[in-house]
Amino acid sequence: MIAEKPATSSLGSAFSRRSVLGGIGAGTFLAAMPATAFAKGNAVSFPGLTKIINEYVADKKVAGMMAMIGFGQEQPQVISAGTLKLGGDRLVGTETLWRMYSQTKPITGMATMMLVEDGLISLDQPLSDIFPEFADMQVLVDPEGAIDNVEPAKAPITIRQLQTHTAGLGYTIISKGPIQKAYLAAGLTPGRVSRSPIPGIDPGAPTPDIMTFVKRLSELPLVYQPGTQWSYSLSHDVLSAVIEKVSGKPLDQFLHERMFGPLGMNNIFYNVPADRAIDLADNYAPFAGALIPIDPGATSIFLDKPAFAFGSTGLVGTAGDYDKFLQMLLGFGTVGGIQVMKPDTVKLGMSNLLPKTANTQGTWVANHGFGAGGRSGLGTEVSPAGTFGWGGAAGTSAFVDTVRGLRAGGYTQYIPSNSYPFQSDFPKYVYADLTGNAQAGAGNTSP
């Protein structure tokens, strides 16, 4: 029996833009990782994690689920169960395509770091150097208040702030009140869920091309003063525009030339090819003991070309391709002798880039650091050194631990991501097996 039991009785009242998409990038729970060493290598088994994955599928909480875990530069181990859709006959495997959603952000973050490495931009450079329309921004006096009750920005938006969600920008999945409505009306909604309307979600106006997107965003007030507050935002879509303006290439082309191509990431897409629809897992919404299909792979909205290469939520790919990205992070820019970034650049991107003036209390990253699109460890008990990772709206989770030489990704497809604890507890499951405490790590998979 599925443990998920929304308090409301109708599908429409149970869903909202915040509940469905609010889990985008809620991230992996990288707390309480052991400081002690553990066994590494392909001889390691993961009985607790395997049990959890099998139980999720057997209980029909999900159609399919996979984990991919690697040590150092070794080939990853794969744990999988289930099918691409409920009642289907195609088993989850290494060719399965998963909606990564906000696991896109660390990739965009590292692409931005490539421009830093090239000397084309710097972390503390004002965004207005690249897009002058952001030079004299206004800021809401009340983040949820009237859109015309504003004050001048006290500092410029910087690249660092865009990397760390401290630029003061909003997000329709987070913001409330008039500013959310203004974002929706302007089409500042760079995320796709379904071809069909979802009850309780205002889709807003169509998302425009990237340069129109940036122009419309610059005409609206900020939600917070730049550099003062961590607030999940569409900043990595702005970085998509930065990359295009500075490099002269759209983000998808830039990534193909600088990262995906060299690393052999040939199964990751912004626009899933028609002949790969057969490999795309269905996406579901758990509701009242059942799984409601909201984006079947065969007719997925990801088969359509997006308005632009969304830097925040756009990628769909195999677990193996994302593992190559994690392997690159763990190799500090190099995989199999192929270097795509310098070690110091990768280390900087995975470090705590938060402005010292930014408040994180009460947020998803309280007591943690934040780097180039992902949560980073501060070297404390609750935020271990060397950890970097983030998750996605459809329940996916991925992280690296550079101190212990570990990379891990967990994949499934359900929205919202907090319907079950798989995403938030995935690192705990992995570490429990590695430290011989699988029973404690397994726990209860009910929300």
Side-chain angles (χ1 to χ4, degrees):
M1 178 178 291
I2 296 178
E4 170 73 0
K5 294 185 181 296
T8 52
S9 58
S10 69
L11 182 60
S13 57
F15 280 69
S16 66
R17 173 169 287 274
R18 185 181 178 92
S19 70
V20 172
L21 292 176
I24 287 182
T28 52
F29 179 73
L30 296 178
M33 289 185 178
T36 56
F38 49 69
K40 294 186 288 185
N42 289 327
V44 175
S45 63
F46 294 87
L49 179 58
T50 301
K51 179 174 182 288
I52 288 165
I53 288 175
N54 285 329
E55 286 178 348
Y56 264 98
V57 173
D59 293 344
K60 292 184 170 56
K61 291 180 176 179
V62 299
M65 188 173 276
M66 169 182 281
M68 189 170 280
I69 304 168
F71 300 93
Q73 297 298 300
E74 294 179 5
Q75 289 298 305
Q77 300 178 56
V78 178
I79 304 166
S80 65
T83 53
L84 274 64
K85 65 178 181 179
L86 286 175
D89 56 8
R90 285 184 65 83
L91 298 177
V92 166
T94 54
E95 295 301 310
T96 300
L97 295 173
W98 310 94
R99 296 158 191 80
M100 298 296 178
Y101 281 114
S102 280
Q103 280 184 211
T104 303
K105 288 180 172 72
I107 289 178
T108 303
M110 286 299 163
T112 305
M113 296 305 297
M114 288 178 170
L115 295 183
V116 173
E117 178 177 295
D118 293 344
L120 298 176
I121 61 174
S122 63
L123 283 175
D124 294 309
Q125 180 178 3
L127 175 61
S128 58
D129 284 358
I130 303 163
F131 291 104
E133 51 265 50
F134 286 92
D136 298 303
M137 295 298 291
Q138 299 293 305
V139 184
L140 292 176
V141 173
D142 177 354
E144 299 178 21
I147 204 166
D148 58 355
N149 184 16
V150 295
E151 61 184 7
K154 299 176 182 178
I157 295 172
T158 66
I159 301 299
R160 177 188 300 274
Q161 293 164 2
L162 292 172
Q163 286 278 44
T164 58
H165 298 293
T166 58
L169 298 169
Y171 218 177
T172 56
I173 60 175
I174 297 297
S175 300
K176 299 178 182 179
I179 191 66
Q180 183 196 52
K181 293 180 180 178
Y183 270 44
L184 289 169
L188 302 179
T189 53
R192 302 188 292 171
V193 178
S194 176
R195 293 182 187 274
S196 303
I198 297 178
I201 294 184
D202 179 354
T207 306
D209 67 88
I210 191 166
M211 295 306 164
T212 302
F213 179 95
V214 167
K215 183 177 184 300
R216 290 181 184 177
L217 182 60
S218 71
E219 294 169 349
L220 291 173
L222 299 174
V223 182
Y224 298 101
Q225 287 286 345
T228 65
Q229 177 67 42
W230 192 93
S231 184
Y232 209 43
S233 70
L234 42 67
S235 61
H236 285 79
D237 295 297
V238 177
L239 287 173
S240 178
V242 168
I243 290 168
E244 180 166 337
K245 187 71 175 291
V246 172
S247 73
K249 299 172 183 177
L251 176 61
D252 52 347
Q253 181 182 347
F254 182 89
L255 287 171
H256 177 74
E257 294 179 4
R258 295 289 297 271
M259 186 186 298
F260 296 168
L263 296 181
M265 296 171 65
N266 301 317
N267 298 285
I268 193 163
F269 313 101
Y270 275 101
N271 182 187
V272 176
D275 63 356
R276 294 299 304 274
I278 193 173
D279 295 317
L280 180 55
D282 287 8
N283 196 17
Y284 293 91
F287 178 76
L291 289 176
I292 310 299
I294 58 174
D295 189 43
T299 58
S300 174
I301 194 169
F302 286 92
L303 296 171
D304 297 341
K305 185 177 180 179
F308 60 89
F310 301 153
S312 60
T313 64
L315 288 171
V316 175
T318 62
D321 267 27
Y322 205 87
D323 182 67
K324 290 176 183 177
F325 171 67
L326 299 179
Q327 193 174 356
M328 184 276 289
L329 297 181
L330 204 57
F332 300 121
T334 299
V335 177
I338 297 174
Q339 185 181 60
V340 296
M341 299 176 71
K342 294 178 181 178
D344 286 348
T345 308
V346 179
K347 291 175 183 178
L348 179 60
M350 291 191 291
S351 70
N352 180 28
L353 299 177
L354 283 168
K356 293 181 180 179
T357 54
N359 175 45
T360 63
Q361 293 309 302
T363 74
W364 292 332
V365 299
N367 302 313
H368 293 268
F370 203 87
R375 181 185 288 143
S376 63
L378 293 176
T380 66
E381 183 177 354
V382 299
S383 184
T387 55
F388 178 80
W390 205 236
T396 61
S397 174
F399 70 95
V400 295
D401 180 340
T402 62
V403 172
R404 300 164 189 83
L406 171 71
R407 63 188 200 272
Y411 300 91
T412 189
Q413 301 280 257
Y414 61 83
I415 281 181
S417 61
N418 60 2
S419 299
Y420 308 126
F422 178 76
Q423 182 190 76
S424 61
D425 287 354
F426 175 69
K428 182 176 72 174
Y429 302 149
V430 173
Y431 279 86
D433 277 330
L434 291 173
T435 55
N437 194 22
Q439 184 174 0
N444 184 352
T445 60
S446 300

